[in-house]
Each structure stands twice: as C-alpha cells, then as structure tokens.
Amino acid sequence: MESDSEVILAISSIRKINQGISIVGRIDDLDFSDVARQAGCDRVVSPSEIGGNMLFSALSEPAVVRWFAEATVMGSGVDLIDKNGSSADIANKTISMLNTGADTQIIGIRKSDNKYIDVLPEDSLHIENGDTVISMVRQDKSEKSISCKRINVKRVEKGDVLIIGWNPTIRSAVNEFVYSGKFAVTILS
C-alpha cells in the first residue's frame, strides 16, 4: 500500500469483518494515527517518523543510533519487552522492587491513561494497575528474569496478527513475530 488512506481503508474493512484480530498499521503521517485508531487499528507504527528521528540523531549521536539499531534486531542479545502492571508479579510494586540486577533494566513505564511514557523512571515510582513496564533484558538471562515474559501481547484466540501497510523497513519486526512461533502473521501490502 502506498498511501495512508489505503492503509486506513484496509484497517476499517478488516475490523468490520473481524473484531477479534490484532491490527498493526503502518502510517507515515502521524496526523493520521488517530484516524487509523478510530478505524480499528490497535497499534500504529510510523517508519518515516522513526527513521526521521534516527537520521537527526545520527548527526550528533551516531554511536547511540548504531547501538539502538543493533539492539532492536533479532539475535542482538537483548530483548525489549513490555509487561502489564495488572499481573501479580509486578502489581503495586516500585521500580526498585522489580529491577533485578544487571541482566534486567526497566527503561520506561507507560501510564495506564496512555498519555505518556516515564523514561528511566525513579526507583521509588509505584506501578499502578494498568501501567505497562518496559524492560531491556539480556537474552541469555531471559529465563531467570520475572520481567522478561512476553505476556502483554494482545492476542486473539488463535494468536493472529494482521500487519497492514507492509514495507521492507519493517521486515525485522515481522521476522520476530514469525520466528517466535506464537503468532499466525498475515501481511497486507
């Protein structure tokens, strides 16, 4: 699909057919992200926005951009994960109670109202019901860490995920879904 309007039309059509499927949509112009959500998109990703931010940062912080690019691909040795604050092992705890050492680092909290992410939260921050904890975990230590379980993925009964607006720039993310074996991935391009 070449335009945001095509992606939004596809989202709306698919949502009318299947209310239970998780839909991830590629929207280039963030002005249309609310329209995509209203059409039924669960998650909106803007490769052009992400790429633009990376290009700008590459001028002044090239090592940071390179680290981020390498850390966010499969096989990098690092997992970036999220976990909902309503689960028993993190509900009503503070960041200091959850940071389990050098192998797991909490890098952000998305508040339950979805209005902001608290980046590098203070150790005293209290996790409320509905907040989402975002962590970075070393893959070789994943099995030992309580924070690494990917339980906050919004799945339907069969684990289907629909990605609308395929673009080669999102190949690594799609490959992670496919290789995990936990999802049936359908791509509409």
Side-chain angles (χ1 to χ4, degrees):
M1 292 180 198
E2 295 188 22
S3 72
D4 290 344
S5 59
E6 289 176 313
V7 172
I8 292 168
L9 180 60
I11 291 166
S12 178
S13 299
I14 297 298
R15 181 57 70 209
K16 287 177 183 171
I17 294 168
N18 188 337
Q19 292 292 314
I21 196 166
S22 293
I23 299 176
V24 179
R26 177 189 54 84
I27 299 293
D28 288 319
D29 186 342
L30 287 181
D31 290 339
F32 295 113
S33 61
D34 286 340
V35 176
R37 284 188 191 91
Q38 290 170 2
C41 192
D42 297 298
R43 302 283 187 267
V44 174
V45 177
S46 176
S48 59
E49 180 78 11
I50 294 166
N53 288 335
M54 296 288 276
L55 285 169
F56 180 76
S57 294
L59 294 172
S60 60
E61 303 161 329
V64 171
V65 172
R66 184 174 182 159
W67 178 90
F68 183 78
E70 292 176 4
T72 56
V73 297
M74 257 181 71
S76 67
V78 175
D79 275 333
L80 297 174
I81 57 152
D82 64 9
K83 190 168 187 179
N84 192 287
S86 60
S87 57
D89 54 342
I90 66 172
N92 299 313
K93 295 187 178 172
T94 62
I95 298 298
S96 63
M97 296 167 77
L98 295 176
N99 270 334
T100 58
D103 298 324
T104 301
Q105 184 63 46
I106 295 174
I107 59 174
I109 303 289
R110 162 123 1 237
K111 299 306 287 176
S112 60
D113 60 10
N114 280 326
K115 291 189 177 173
Y116 71 95
I117 291 182
D118 190 345
V119 180
L120 299 175
E122 298 289 326
D123 284 344
S124 60
L125 182 74
H126 185 264
I127 297 164
E128 299 171 7
N129 192 23
D131 291 351
T132 300
V133 176
I134 303 161
S135 302
M136 197 166 49
V137 180
R138 289 195 185 147
Q139 287 174 345
D140 60 336
K141 306 296 182 181
S142 313
E143 297 303 316
K144 298 176 184 175
S145 171
I146 63 160
S147 299
C148 75
K149 299 173 188 166
R150 294 178 182 238
I151 64 166
N152 194 34
V153 176
K154 190 177 188 181
R155 291 192 220 175
V156 294
E157 290 180 15
K158 295 180 183 176
D160 294 338
V161 174
L162 177 62
I163 299 172
I164 299 178
W166 168 256
N167 183 309
T169 60
I170 63 169
R171 182 174 292 135
S172 64
V174 173
N175 286 342
E176 186 171 341
F177 274 123
V178 172
Y179 293 139
S180 73
K182 297 177 184 175
F183 305 95
V185 178
T186 305
I187 300 167
L188 255 169
S189 58

